[in-house]
């Protein structure tokens, strides 16, 4: 019993249940607990930029073959585009078949919304207007930061990733007497940061409790009833996508989705409690290394996927857009739906892995299409938070599968380490997190003690 109580999975599950209970019985108190969940997410977010930087630099710096870096990145982007486009098509098809928005008097609902809802809806509308002119040029120019410090200070994942890639490439080109000491220093810093992450993760149950108590306390369980059909369609579609599409991809590469989900169960529960896929990002990099992926592949694919491979967000955006069209009785032609998918292929790539980002991107998409009223997002205010858990969990699983696929295709997958992970020998809930192999075995001076190698 004592061992069970100390298990992180059990602690997070208990915290989520308590959060639901407190939010239901004491809604005012539950809504006031929002800062607890936000603070935990901020603790995780402060570690994301340096962990990504060190992981990518160590991976590329020790990779040696620069052509390999470009090949891995190219394969990842191609995979992301294919799978997220498939997710969008599946979402549009599911919404057209289920028709969750039919029969809802959307215009009356928006007109009679409370003052608080109107204020919140106007906030998202304003943010949508700001993103109305978004295009590929703006998106890619934003990847280049104004300063090195600014990218880290603002937590811009793609900007930090760009800096790390350039830094890793530079290290691989300088003479060994300059590059190797830096690599050793970065490796030691990486160990320390994963140690800090292990300490922060002890607060995961508290963060999950605060996030769930706020959600139930503010919106209440009754908020789910009017839009229950929409939620059901979203959850079922994501379930079918994960256990249909992603499961088929895993089976094609000789891997088991069920075993992988069991291995990352703590990260899934953490995302469930916090509604933020970003809260699991650092641990996912470490877990995938332990599961058999090389550091270079995990360090490149996971951070990039958080902007380019948001499968759950893509499904939500497509279903929500069609739902609002149905709710406002706006018939969409096949051409308009194809256009909508095309716009979502762009706007979904700009969604961050944090709570509420999908909602803002939806408003931006509606503003860009000029077909469905942007004010319609007010209809989703009561249930968007409940659907954000499904989005975030699907995003995390999708990025994990993408990393395994790229690692397999690049022969960067350690089957022996994978088998140890399946047997529970590679990680435990209480184990201090540290990189799977401090320096690539091909590095000319990888002289760390044997006991640090796995």
């Amino acid at each position: 019993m004592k061992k069970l109580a100390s298990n992180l999975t059990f602690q997070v599950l208990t915290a989520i249940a308590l959060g639901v209970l407190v939010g239901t019985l004491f809604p005012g108190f539950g809504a006031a607990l929002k800062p607890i969940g936000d603070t935990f997410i901020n603790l995780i977010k402060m570690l994301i930029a340096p962990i990504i930087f060190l992981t990518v630099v160590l991976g590329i710096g020790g990779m040696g073959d620069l052509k390999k870096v470009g090949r891995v990145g190219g394969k990842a982007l191609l995979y992301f585009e294919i799978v997220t486009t498939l997710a969008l098509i599946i979402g549009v098809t599911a919404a057209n078949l289920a028709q969750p928005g039919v029969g809802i008097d959307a215009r009356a609902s928006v007109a009679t919304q409370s003052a608080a809802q109107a204020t919140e809806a106007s906030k998202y509308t304003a943010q949508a207007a700001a993103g109305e002119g978004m295009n590929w040029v703006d998106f890619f120019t934003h990847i280049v930061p104004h300063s090195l410090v600014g990218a880290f200070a603002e937590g811009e994942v793609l900007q930090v990733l760009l800096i790390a890639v350039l830094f890793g490439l530079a290290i691989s080109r300088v003479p060994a007497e300059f590059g190797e000491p830096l690599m050793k220093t970065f490796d030691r810093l990486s160990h320390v940061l994963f140690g800090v992450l292990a300490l922060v993760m002890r607060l995961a149950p508290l963060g999950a409790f605060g996030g769930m108590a706020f959600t139930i306390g503010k919106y209440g369980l009754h908020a789910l009833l009017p839009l229950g059909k929409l939620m059901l369609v979203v959850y079922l579609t994501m379930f079918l996508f994960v256990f249909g599409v992603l499961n088929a991809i895993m089976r094609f590469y000789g891997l088991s989705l069920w075993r992988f989900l069991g291995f990352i169960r703590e990260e899934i529960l953490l995302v469930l409690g916090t509604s933020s896929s970003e809260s699991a990002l650092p641990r996912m990099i470490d877990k995938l290394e332990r599961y058999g992926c090389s550091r270079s592949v995990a360090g490149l694919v996971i951070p990039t996927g958080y902007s380019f491979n948001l499968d759950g967000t893509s499904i939500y955006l497509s279903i929500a857009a069609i739902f609002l069209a149905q709710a406002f009785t706006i018939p969409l032609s096949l051409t308009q739906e194809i256009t909508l998918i095309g716009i979502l292929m762009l706007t979904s790539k700009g969604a961050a892995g944090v709570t509420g980002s999908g909602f803002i991107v939806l408003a931006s998409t509606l503003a860009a299409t000029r077909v469905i009223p942007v004010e319609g997002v007010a209809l989703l205010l009561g249930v968007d938070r409940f659907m954000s858990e499904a989005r975030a969990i699907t995003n995390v699983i999708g990025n994990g599968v993408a990393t395994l696929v790229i690692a397999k295709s690049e022969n960067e997958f350690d089957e022996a380490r994978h088998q140890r992970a399946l047997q529970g020998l590679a990680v435990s809930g209480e184990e201090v997190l540290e990189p799977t192999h401090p320096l690539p075995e091909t590095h000319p001076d990888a002289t760390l003690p044997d006991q640090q190698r796995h």
Side-chain angles (χ1 to χ4, degrees), residues 51-66 68-69 164-165 168-169 171-172 183 186-187 190 289 294-300 412 437-440 442-443:
I51 284 179
I52 287 176
F53 175 78
L54 292 173
T55 302
V56 173
V57 169
L58 287 169
I60 295 178
M63 192 177 285
D65 185 4
L66 300 185
K68 185 177 179 181
V69 178
V165 169
L169 293 175
I171 285 182
S172 67
M183 289 283 285
F186 285 158
D187 180 72
S190 179
E289 284 189 57
S294 68
R295 163 180 289 181
S296 56
V297 170
L300 277 173
E412 292 283 333
H437 46 282
L439 288 177
T442 56
H443 196 280

Side-chain angles (χ1 to χ4, degrees), residues 15 46 70 87 108 127 162 169 171 190 205 242 244 264 267 290 294 311 314-315 347-348 371 405 411 414 416:
M46 77 176 184
Q127 294 186 49
L162 174 65
L169 293 175
I171 285 182
S190 179
V242 170
I264 61 169
E267 287 67 38
R290 295 176 184 273
S294 68
D311 300 329
S314 298
I315 291 172
T347 55
S348 63
V371 175
V405 167
N411 293 320
D414 189 329

Side-chain angles (χ1 to χ4, degrees), residues 133-196:
M134 179 168 49
N135 52 57
W136 282 107
V137 175
D138 295 333
F139 179 73
F140 282 111
T141 54
H142 179 70
I143 295 177
V144 181
H146 294 291
S147 68
L148 292 178
V149 177
F152 286 89
E154 296 171 11
E156 294 283 354
V157 173
L158 278 183
Q159 293 182 358
V160 172
L161 184 61
L162 174 65
I163 295 170
V165 169
L166 294 175
F167 210 95
L169 293 175
I171 285 182
S172 67
R173 295 170 64 91
V174 299
E177 60 265 27
F178 298 113
E180 290 175 10
L182 271 177
M183 289 283 285
K184 291 180 179 179
T185 300
F186 285 158
D187 180 72
R188 295 186 180 102
L189 284 174
S190 179
H191 276 73
V192 173
L193 277 176
F194 275 103
V196 173

Side-chain angles (χ1 to χ4, degrees), residues 263 286-295 297-298 403-404 407-408 411-419 421 426 436-437:
F263 188 73
D286 180 79
K287 277 291 187 74
L288 282 160
E289 284 189 57
R290 295 176 184 273
Y291 204 65
C293 297
S294 68
R295 163 180 289 181
V297 170
T403 306
L404 292 172
K408 277 276 191 175
N411 293 320
E412 292 283 333
F413 189 81
D414 189 329
E415 188 61 40
R417 186 152 27 107
H418 173 62
Q419 292 302 322
T436 307
H437 46 282

Side-chain angles (χ1 to χ4, degrees), residues 83-99:
V83 176
T84 52
T85 301
L86 181 60
L88 289 170
I89 294 173
I90 290 173
V92 169
T93 304
N96 281 318
L97 291 175
Q99 297 190 331

